[in-house]
Amino acid sequence: MTVEHSSKFSLEHAQELDQADPLRHYREQFHLPIQKNGNPYFYFTGNSLGLQPKSTETYIRQELNDWKDLGVEGHFHAKNPWMPYHEFLTEKMARVVGAKPIEVVVMNTLSVNLHLMMASFYRPSPDRYKILIESDAFPSDKYAVQSQLRFHGYEEDGLLELRPKQGEELIRQEDIDQMIEEEGEKIALILIGCPNYYTGQVFDMKHIAALGHSKGCMVGFDLAHGAGNLDLSLHDSGVDFATWCTYKYLNSGPGSVGGCFVHERHANNIELPRFAGWWGHNKETRFNMRHDFDPIPGAEGWQLSNPPILSLAAILASLDIFDEVGMKALTTKSKKLTGYLEDLLHEIEDPNIKIITPSNPEERGCQLSIQVKNADKTLFNAISAKGVIADWREPDVIRVAPVPLYNSFSDVFHFAHILKTELESK
Ligand SMILES: *Cc1c(COP(=O)(O)O)cnc(C)c1O
């Protein structure tokens, strides 16, 4: 052991912080992956795949049993009838993202929902057809946007990208403002990931929505890294739509169904074109099968298919935990936990690593992105061999997400200590 820099950089201090943490017991409600030596991994990839709540199995088993015992009758007579099953998730999900229930539905997966939203909210014309995104948007979002541009015949010059200034990692608000001021009249849709998956930068959604709307643009957000991580106020932010997945911070299991928000102002607008399916049709006449499409008001009206109940059961298991904790308490802990990680990384004071995530807690969630000098992946491999599960993102970043529901201050201490030891041994 090397001599530690300060009392903060000690396991004792981390354990004191754990003792004082009112949410510490939630860790026991999750399955932590176990190393060969019998100890849990130091798991920091809840931003990629959240851990499994111990209750998930019970929720899924209920549906398996009802299917076994009832067959098709389960649609109406299961303990939680499958016909309205998605509705059991709506209010809880709405609370997670700060929306009204009519604005939220759980359906499909993120990229699919993005396309469905663009079918309705990307309505290009020869004068206004551009889509504004971050230059370093998540690949799926970029492919989705490019394919929409191509579909409408605007691939030539339809894509506008927000770039950090030369030599910087983050996008400045003033550059976003300038872009919208200058190009706004030609922009049909603004679509931004919040936080950005790579840097962890959070954008001012309300400000961007207001500015975009003042220029006549539609404004959507991808909240894959925001839902269950940030204390969102989607309704008040005024954005037209948002999409997210539930397998990252919302712990619903690999490939699970996603979430979608459509602002209340569009709830009854039947003029909006949309790709329709029977599950978006008026519930009273859905099974009469001979009616013209009559959309359910609000986000539910964008549903296509009857949803996968086993996946929804897993989401419900997780949402019940979120509902009990609440996003306020969760983000209060999150700021402390990530702040502690930041403090320890600063104390390491090694020129080979640099945090590129904003230092202002209001401009980030729980994730810190650590840039490694010369894109040296051996550091990442070394900490992985010591039981850390983080992720390496090309070209040169280790992403670390201490998740307030199940990560502890001690986890953060162990991570920083392992990182420091590996840096010193280089
Ligand atoms: C994780 C993630 C996705 C994944 O999309 P799926 O359709 O769920 O596979 C898309 N966009 C962003 C920004 C993400 O972080």
Side-chain angles (χ1 to χ4, degrees), residues 109-112 138 140-141 197 222 224-225 245 247-248:
T109 46
L110 200 171
S111 304
V112 173
F138 192 86
S140 190
D141 300 27
Y197 81 100
D222 182 329
H225 286 264
C245 48
Y247 50 81
K248 290 173 179 162

Side-chain angles (χ1 to χ4, degrees), residues 16 21 53 63 69 83 90 134 173 179 221-222 232 240 273 288 294 320 340 367 424:
E16 279 166 27
D21 166 19
E63 304 319 319
D69 296 341
M83 267 289 295
T90 302
E134 323 115 271
Q173 184 64 55
M179 178 73 96
F221 276 85
D222 182 329
L232 297 161
D240 295 290
N288 296 350
D294 173 16
D320 279 342
Y340 182 54
Q367 171 186 325
E424 283 168 355

Side-chain angles (χ1 to χ4, degrees), residues 119-146:
S120 294
F121 296 105
Y122 175 55
R123 304 298 303 152
S125 68
D127 302 331
R128 185 195 282 280
Y129 57 87
K130 298 197 179 197
I131 304 182
L132 178 64
I133 63 169
E134 323 115 271
S135 64
D136 206 1
F138 192 86
S140 190
D141 300 27
K142 192 157 178 183
Y143 304 150
V145 161
Q146 284 171 326

Side-chain angles (χ1 to χ4, degrees), residues 230-251:
L230 307 175
D231 190 13
L232 297 161
S233 306
L234 263 185
H235 174 80
D236 292 340
S237 75
V239 305
D240 295 290
F241 70 86
T243 57
W244 58 95
C245 48
T246 62
Y247 50 81
K248 290 173 179 162
Y249 292 105
L250 293 174
N251 312 319

Side-chain angles (χ1 to χ4, degrees), residues 4-127:
E4 307 297 3
H5 286 102
S6 77
S7 59
K8 252 190 184 178
F9 213 134
S10 70
L11 184 57
E12 293 70 35
H13 181 69
Q15 286 168 337
E16 279 166 27
L17 294 173
D18 281 331
Q19 275 311 310
D21 166 19
L23 304 187
R24 68 184 179 282
H25 293 303
Y26 281 95
R27 180 181 175 86
E28 293 152 23
Q29 294 192 24
F30 288 84
H31 291 290
L32 300 168
I34 303 294
Q35 304 183 59
K36 284 210 183 71
N37 66 14
N39 296 324
Y41 280 100
F42 306 112
Y43 193 84
F44 291 101
T45 46
N47 56 347
S48 191
L49 185 72
L51 292 181
Q52 184 185 136
K54 290 179 180 166
S55 57
T56 303
E57 210 170 312
T58 312
Y59 281 66
I60 292 181
R61 191 168 299 284
Q62 177 72 47
E63 304 319 319
L64 286 174
N65 284 340
D66 284 346
W67 176 27
K68 188 167 69 187
D69 296 341
L70 301 168
V72 72
E73 297 291 316
H75 285 296
F76 297 98
H77 301 301
K79 181 172 171 229
N80 311 302
W82 306 327
M83 267 289 295
Y85 199 103
H86 71 274
E87 295 170 28
F88 307 147
L89 283 59
T90 302
E91 288 188 17
K92 294 171 190 188
M93 186 62 96
R95 282 193 279 275
V96 167
V97 295
K100 297 188 178 182
I102 196 172
E103 296 173 316
V104 168
V105 67
V106 177
M107 62 177 186
N108 311 312
T109 46
L110 200 171
S111 304
V112 173
N113 287 333
L114 209 48
H115 277 297
L116 292 180
M117 290 294 101
M118 285 196 278
S120 294
F121 296 105
Y122 175 55
R123 304 298 303 152
S125 68
D127 302 331

